[in-house]
Each structure stands twice: as C-alpha cells, then as structure tokens.
Amino acid sequence: MRTILAALALTTALTLPGIAMARPVTLTTTLKNYGGNGAYLAIYVTDPTGAYAGSLWMAGTKSKYYEHLSDWYRATGGNAAEINGITGASVGAGRRLEITLDLADALFDAGYTVHIDAAAEDMRDSPDEITVPLTAKGAGQPVPGRRYIADFSYGL
Amino acid sequence: MKKTISILLASTALIAVIGIPAWSAMYGAGQFEGQHDAALGAFQAPGASPVLVSEDDGEDRDHERRLRRGDDDHEGDQEDDDDGGNASGPAPAGSVAPPSNGLFGTGAMPKVQVN
C-alpha cells in the first residue's frame, strides 16, 4: 500500500508542473478624474519583436469607436473576433477596473509587453498610454499613465 | 515490485491521456510565433513584415483625433455602450470563451469588477 502511495505521489509531483501552465493574473487600471465620459480602453500584448500578439480586454462595446484606440486598431483592423468574450463596458473617470484572467505562464519574463490604448468622448485619443513588460518582478508595481489612466498594475 | 511498476505505468499512461490534449489545446495552434503569423495573416498581405504596434516611443504623441458620439457611421446603433454590445460588435465577456490567441492558459471566463 505504501509503495502504491509513494508511486502515485512521485508521478503526480513529476507531472503537475507540466500541467500548471497558466496562472490567474489580475489587471488593475485606475482612471484619473479627467472630467469626461467613460473611457474606452484596449488592453493588448505585443511579443518580443513588438508585433501584436493578442488582446486581453476591451472596455467599451461600440465597435464604431474602436478606431480611436489607434495602435490596437492598426494591429487588428478592429476585428471583433480578437475581443469576443473579453469585452465589457467603458470605464468612468475616477473608477478602477479589475480584470482577472487565466494567462499562460509563457508570457512572463519572455519579452512580452502589455499596452493600453485609451480614448474618451470629445477628448484626445491616447494610444499606448501604458506600456509595461510582463515580468514576475514587475508584478504589483503601479505604472503611471499619460492622459486618462492614473496607474496600471498586474498581480500574480 | 511488479505491482509498483504496473501502477507507475498505469498512472503515467493516465497522465499522458489527460495531459497531452491539455497541452495540445494550449499549443496546438502552433507556438506563439505560429499564432502571430496566423493572426497577422488576417490583416496583412502575404510576405509583408509584421506590423509594429507602436512605431514611436516618444511621450509626446499628439493625437488630435477625438472620440465623438456624433461620429456615427453605423445607423441604428444606440449611444449607450453599456447595453451588452450590438449585432456587429464583439461578444461580451461571459457569453463566450476568450479567444484562442495563445495568451489565455485555459478557456476560463474572465472576472471583471469596476469600483
């Protein structure tokens, strides 16, 4: 019986690391009180060469406004398939958006970068408002935005 | 001893049966590079170089373009964007699984909270 348990423990210990290839990551974006309507935000990732790798979240559901998230739009052509299942409402001034996603481990410490493009009604578009490398060390470190975003951080 | 070896073999086979499909689901569409090629292929002519998302790292990217509710080239759309989307827009979170772009480890639904 003991040998059975030992054998099971050994095989489980050997195989679990291979299966655990993703982790829950919380992206927190706090907006400034910029005095306007809700902001559209495109949160996406580029690979080590700077090429678009995929989207993580879209705040704002009206596709006709996506062209104002200009870097994201240039990379995707505004293709809705890129953001199916990861789209929610726009975010009001002064509010904090928290998104928890199950992200692949391979994204961390491998040269991938999170970007956020932002736009708000009757205010200037703000592409690449946030640019932050995905590293284990950078987790929990707030990064300030330029126009609409007070700060952004990701927690592992 | 024979018993232990047979248990080891059985558990390894079981893990392989469970693990290989899971691995394939994540990496089956190709490694990240392959997925990039596939994603970029939809927007680029064959042979074109990858699109750099941002060509300018400067802090002073001055964008005069503004989002206006009046910029309406889609007749019939409502002005409120909190209505869960429209026919031509993306599927809202929770209604379908996230896209298979290689960034998401599983098909788990995202959790979102606005404070």
Side-chain angles (χ1 to χ4, degrees), chain B residues 12 16 18 20 25 44 51 56 62 66 79 86-87 90 94-95 101 104 112 114:
Chain B
T12 305
I18 295 167
I20 289 171
Q44 294 179 338
V51 173
D56 183 359
D62 195 12
R66 292 161 189 245
E79 292 303 310
N86 55 61
S95 64
N101 55 14
F104 300 100
V112 63
V114 178

Side-chain angles (χ1 to χ4, degrees), chain A residues 3-4 7-8 10-11 15 18-19 21-22 37-38 40 44-47 49-57 60-68 70-72 74-77 79-87 89-91 94-104 106-107 112 115 119-125 127-128 146-147, chain B residues 3-4 7-8 11-12 15 18-19 22-23 26-27 32-33 36 39-40 42-43 50-74 77-86 88-99 101-106 108-115:
Chain A
T3 50
I4 296 171
L8 280 172
L10 180 66
T11 51
T15 50
I19 292 171
M21 293 176 295
N37 286 339
Y40 270 52
Y44 56 98
V45 174
T46 55
D47 70 8
T49 68
Y52 173 78
S55 298
L56 296 178
W57 190 257
T61 59
K62 292 291 183 188
S63 54
K64 64 186 174 184
Y65 300 131
Y66 291 165
E67 63 185 277
H68 293 276
S70 51
D71 283 355
W72 177 86
R74 190 182 308 122
T76 64
N79 184 5
E82 293 285 323
I83 48 173
N84 278 337
I86 49 170
T87 297
S90 57
V91 185
R95 308 292 289 275
R96 189 176 65 188
L97 171 70
E98 283 184 6
I99 314 152
T100 302
L101 304 164
D102 203 28
L103 294 188
L107 297 177
Y112 288 84
H115 300 257
E121 185 180 1
D122 290 331
M123 301 177 86
R124 284 184 179 180
D125 296 350
D128 228 6
R146 286 186 291 121
R147 192 176 296 274
Chain B
K3 203 174 176 184
T4 308
I7 289 166
L8 276 169
S11 57
T12 305
I15 290 296
I18 295 167
W23 181 275
M26 277 190 64
Y27 293 94
F32 283 109
E33 269 182 41
H36 299 158
L40 290 169
F43 311 113
V51 173
L52 289 178
V53 170
S54 178
E55 295 170 351
D56 183 359
D57 292 333
E59 288 289 311
D60 297 325
R61 295 177 67 190
D62 195 12
H63 290 263
E64 293 295 339
R65 284 171 54 84
R66 292 161 189 245
L67 187 159
R68 294 183 203 281
R69 300 287 180 188
D71 290 351
D72 199 346
D73 52 3
H74 295 250
D77 281 347
Q78 293 173 12
E79 292 303 310
D80 182 5
D81 70 2
D82 294 339
D83 61 2
N86 55 61
S88 62
S95 64
V96 297
N101 55 14
L103 306 183
F104 300 100
T106 65
M109 298 289 186
K111 292 173 192 159
V112 63
Q113 191 177 344
V114 178
N115 300 314

Side-chain angles (χ1 to χ4, degrees), chain A residues 103-143:
Chain A
L103 294 188
D105 279 343
L107 297 177
F108 292 87
D109 298 309
Y112 288 84
T113 302
V114 172
H115 300 257
I116 304 182
D117 288 5
E121 185 180 1
D122 290 331
M123 301 177 86
R124 284 184 179 180
D125 296 350
S126 185
D128 228 6
E129 167 124 9
I130 294 284
T131 304
V132 54
L134 276 174
T135 62
K137 206 175 176 181
Q141 313 258 346
V143 176

